[in-house]
Structure formats: C-alpha cells, structure tokens
Amino acid sequence: KAGVTQTPRYLIKTRGQQVTLSCSPISGHRSVSWYQQTPGQGLQFLFEYFSETQRNKGNFPGRFSGRQFSNSRSEMNVSTLELGDSALYLCASSLAYLGGGEDTQYFGPGTRLTVL
Amino acid sequence: GQQLNQSPQSMFIQEGEDVSMNCTSSSIFNTWLWYKQEPGEGPVLLIALYKAGELTSNGRLTAQFGITRKDSFLNISASIPSDVGIYFCAGMNYGGSQGNLIFGKGTKLSVKP
C-alpha cells in the first residue's frame, strides 16, 4: 500500500511569490490535514479537508489556503510569501476526519520550503 | 489563544526506565493526541483519546485524557533505545470550520543503552 506522497520535496521561492504544494493521501483515505513545522514555532495545524470540504482550520492568515479534489488529493497554496513562511510543510491522511474516532493518521515526508 | 504546556522539555534516561510526560492547558479539549517524531521523519500518531478520564494503551505506551479535559499524560514503560525521539501532545476542538488542533512544544527523549 503506497504511503502519503508530497510534491515537491524541496522548494526555494522569493518573497512575494506564491507557491502550491501537493499531497496525495493513502488510497481510500478521505481526510487530508496540513501542518507547518519550524524550529521556533514547532508544529502548527493549518487546516483539514474531508470529502472536499474544509472541516477544521488553524490560526493562519488568509494567505494560506487549500483545497481537496474528488480523488482526495489536496493542494495547499501560500500567496505573497514571507521569510517567516520558510518551514517544513507536512500533510497527513486518515480514513475519518480528525476527532472522528479514527486512531490512524499517516504523515507524508513533507515539503521543505525556503523563502529568500 | 489556546496554548499547551508540555513537560518536561527533554529527558535523559537509562534503558529499562519508565518515562512520564504531560501536557496541560487552560482550555478544554475534546480530543487529545500523542505523536512521536524521529529525526528526518514525519510524526507518527501513537494514541488518540476521545473521552475525559479515558486510559488507552498501545504496547508499552499508556496515555490518559485528564478528567478536567485540560490535560493529558503519556507513560512509556521499560524504555528501549528505539523510543528515542520527540513526543508531541496535541489538543483538539472540532466543530465544522472552527475546529483547531494545538500542539505542545514536544518532549525530547534520549535513552542510554
């Protein structure tokens, strides 16, 4: 069974640009959630999509947005990049939505974004 | 905003010892989650707790959802070298588009053989 895949694995952008990251969940999983990890702020939850609907959302500005397609693949977009957006962006997939009683959640390897 | 205080920040223990770590908050959560992350890897969900007072085990790991819903504990019994990593707690309140998941800063565990 293939795991969660994220593309690209590494990305370098400059301030002001926008970026789109992709996450393909495990086959059959309907929930995809996104996280930002930095040395300073640690792990932070961005948002979760379940069956193409945003179900939960963290405390990030509107520059961070996402969507989920009918095949459960998800994309995350960050517009007007800032230096502080440099981070490891992780996505995770699970059968049920977060908090829905599903004990399994699988993370991808992450996309390392560097903003210059 | 909501914050989680996770302690200790780091632990250096001998193989075979038991480990305890906890997370506390001033806010109530509906769900508590415990993750482990090893260097260069994504987090792995270890245990999920859904009811106040719930005690759940996963092998040598045992976690509890505090009765006040403001805290959670993780215990590891008879530690082994492969337990090394950073353990994160997360509290969650879900509810349509307003649900949020808050992470603790992590407990870095080192195990000496």
Side-chain angles (χ1 to χ4, degrees):
Chain A
K1 194 175 191 181
V4 177
T5 57
Q6 291 187 246
T7 57
R9 291 294 311 278
Y10 302 90
L11 203 50
I12 299 175
K13 291 284 188 178
T14 56
R15 277 183 299 173
Q17 287 186 310
Q18 75 163 22
V19 67
T20 300
L21 311 182
S22 179
C23 175
S24 293
I26 290 172
S27 177
H29 284 194
R30 295 163 64 189
S31 165
V32 174
S33 49
W34 288 89
Y35 306 82
Q36 182 196 67
Q37 188 169 32
T38 60
Q41 298 298 318
L43 261 173
Q44 296 186 87
F45 171 73
L46 282 154
F47 32 64
E48 179 199 13
Y49 285 86
F50 181 79
S51 294
E52 300 180 65
T53 301
Q54 186 178 86
R55 187 171 172 85
N56 296 293
K57 189 177 188 305
N59 301 320
F60 277 80
R63 300 186 296 109
F64 292 82
S65 62
R67 59 177 175 168
Q68 186 178 35
F69 302 95
S70 58
N71 62 358
S72 292
R73 188 177 72 85
S74 177
E75 286 182 348
M76 189 193 84
N77 186 76
V78 187
S79 63
T80 319
L81 284 166
E82 301 177 359
L83 294 178
D85 296 334
S86 294
L88 179 67
Y89 290 89
L90 295 157
C91 77
S93 78
S94 59
L95 280 169
Y97 50 82
L98 292 176
E102 175 60 48
D103 289 355
T104 54
Q105 185 187 35
Y106 299 91
F107 280 78
T111 294
R112 174 75 62 183
L113 172 64
T114 301
V115 182
L116 303 176
Chain B
Q2 293 177 311
Q3 286 188 327
L4 289 186
N5 298 309
Q6 185 172 352
S7 65
Q9 280 187 313
S10 61
M11 302 182 76
F12 297 85
I13 62 169
Q14 197 79 29
E15 183 177 0
E17 289 183 356
D18 295 344
V19 172
S20 290
M21 58 190 80
N22 69 83
C23 274
T24 60
S25 174
S26 58
S27 303
I28 291 173
F29 291 103
N30 294 327
T31 297
W32 283 94
L33 306 168
W34 284 92
Y35 296 86
K36 177 189 177 187
Q37 188 174 27
E38 297 182 26
E41 304 285 332
V44 172
L45 178 62
L46 298 172
I47 293 178
L49 301 157
Y50 302 102
K51 288 196 293 191
E54 180 181 358
L55 187 72
T56 297
S57 293
N58 179 3
R60 294 178 294 105
L61 277 61
T62 302
Q64 184 162 25
F65 192 141
I67 197 72
T68 65
R69 296 169 62 194
K70 294 182 179 181
D71 55 9
S72 181
F73 306 85
L74 176 70
N75 295 316
I76 305 173
S77 62
S79 59
I80 59 179
S82 62
D83 290 334
V84 165
I86 301 177
Y87 291 80
F88 294 97
C89 64
M92 181 170 189
N93 282 322
Y94 47 87
S97 61
Q98 300 303 313
N100 198 357
L101 182 65
I102 308 294
F103 285 89
K105 293 294 186 186
T107 294
K108 186 175 182 179
L109 179 63
S110 301
V111 180
K112 187 176 179 182

